[in-house]
Amino acid sequence: QKEVEQDPGPLSVPEGAIVSLNCTYSNSAFQYFMWYRQYSRKGPELLMYTYSSGNKEDGRFTAQVDKSSKYISLFIRDSQPSDSATYLCAIKSGANNLFFGTGTRLTVIP
Amino acid sequence: ETGVTQSPTHLIKTRGQQVTLRCSSQSGHNTVSWYQQALGQGPQFIFQYYREEENGRGNFPPRFSGLQFPNYSSELNVNALELDDSALYLCASSSAGSYGYTFGSGTRLPVV
């Protein structure tokens, strides 16, 4: 079983839609939860991070963590064509490495 | 200078060759991690360097090795390249104890 599972998509939505991206993880020892955005031919860029269950909001983005279900989500409101990218969930234990999901490729259609 | 810079951005190698990739960490960051990202996959942790010592390693064979220099820059060396080593190699820097990793744009390495 992989440490982090993520639906690879692809996912296409019309401009203005609400996007929901999800990951599940296997190890309850994981403490830190992150979402990265990766544009084509670029490195991942940190979007949001959290270390507790509940919601964290930053502009149009909301990260949600449910530790009891080992489930994390990223919601994008009022999606824009510039949001078209691959979104990677990443989880960190107390150790030094990040475990990444496969990434979900999102296309927002104008 | 801000941000993580990697060189080269792209190179092609043949099976059996050796390659060295380079990374300059973001100003103020003393920890460097290397990741391998195969096409259509998420990044996989190779290893991390802190204070010029390896500080954690993923499930990669010994032919993957690295160095960190006193200025916190780093190298990734891969010997005896295999076709499956074809990937985007990413360097990420951070401050010790933080979880905010800054990634470079990567080195694209096809092995033919």
Side-chain angles (χ1 to χ4, degrees):
Chain A
Q1 183 183 11
K2 295 182 68 173
E3 290 86 0
V4 184
E5 299 279 359
Q6 182 176 10
D7 185 345
L11 182 62
S12 292
V13 301
E15 183 175 354
I18 296 174
V19 176
S20 172
L21 305 167
N22 309 294
C23 290
T24 59
Y25 62 95
S26 58
N27 190 338
S28 58
F30 287 142
Q31 299 175 15
Y32 304 104
F33 308 91
M34 286 153 269
W35 284 94
Y36 282 82
R37 178 174 61 195
Q38 186 174 25
Y39 291 112
S40 180
R41 297 189 174 274
K42 296 292 185 182
E45 167 197 14
L46 181 64
L47 268 180
M48 298 190 70
Y49 63 86
T50 185
Y51 54 86
S52 59
S53 283
N55 294 348
K56 181 176 181 179
E57 192 172 315
D58 184 0
R60 297 185 294 111
F61 298 89
T62 299
Q64 187 176 82
V65 176
D66 182 347
K67 288 188 175 181
S68 63
S69 301
K70 301 192 188 71
Y71 194 85
I72 65 173
S73 301
L74 178 70
F75 299 97
I76 307 174
R77 292 184 300 280
D78 187 25
S79 55
Q80 302 294 310
S82 59
D83 295 329
S84 297
T86 295
Y87 290 80
L88 296 152
C89 61
I91 302 179
K92 185 175 184 295
S93 66
N96 306 317
N97 53 308
L98 297 177
F99 294 100
F100 282 89
T102 304
T104 300
R105 185 172 177 181
L106 171 68
T107 301
V108 180
I109 302 166
Chain B
E1 182 181 348
T2 60
V4 176
T5 57
Q6 293 187 241
S7 63
T9 57
H10 184 214
L11 77 168
I12 300 173
K13 289 287 186 179
T14 57
R15 190 171 50 183
Q17 285 189 309
Q18 178 267 343
V19 69
T20 297
L21 309 180
R22 295 178 175 82
C23 171
S24 294
S25 60
Q26 179 170 310
S27 178
H29 286 181
N30 55 14
T31 302
V32 173
S33 303
W34 287 91
Y35 286 80
Q36 179 196 67
Q37 186 176 22
L39 191 64
Q41 301 296 315
Q44 298 289 314
F45 176 69
I46 303 175
F47 43 56
Q48 183 183 86
Y49 277 83
Y50 172 64
R51 290 186 174 180
E52 303 176 53
E53 296 286 334
E54 189 177 288
N55 187 39
R57 188 179 184 94
N59 189 26
F60 281 82
R63 58 189 184 83
F64 286 78
S65 63
L67 286 172
Q68 186 181 32
F69 300 99
N71 66 353
Y72 307 128
S73 65
S74 178
E75 286 182 355
L76 164 66
N77 299 289
V78 187
N79 293 322
L81 283 164
E82 300 177 359
L83 298 180
D84 285 349
D85 296 333
S86 297
L88 178 68
Y89 287 86
L90 294 162
C91 172
S93 72
S94 62
S95 300
S98 79
Y99 46 83
Y101 288 50
T102 302
F103 282 84
S105 292
T107 295
R108 198 163 298 274
L109 176 66
V111 180
V112 299

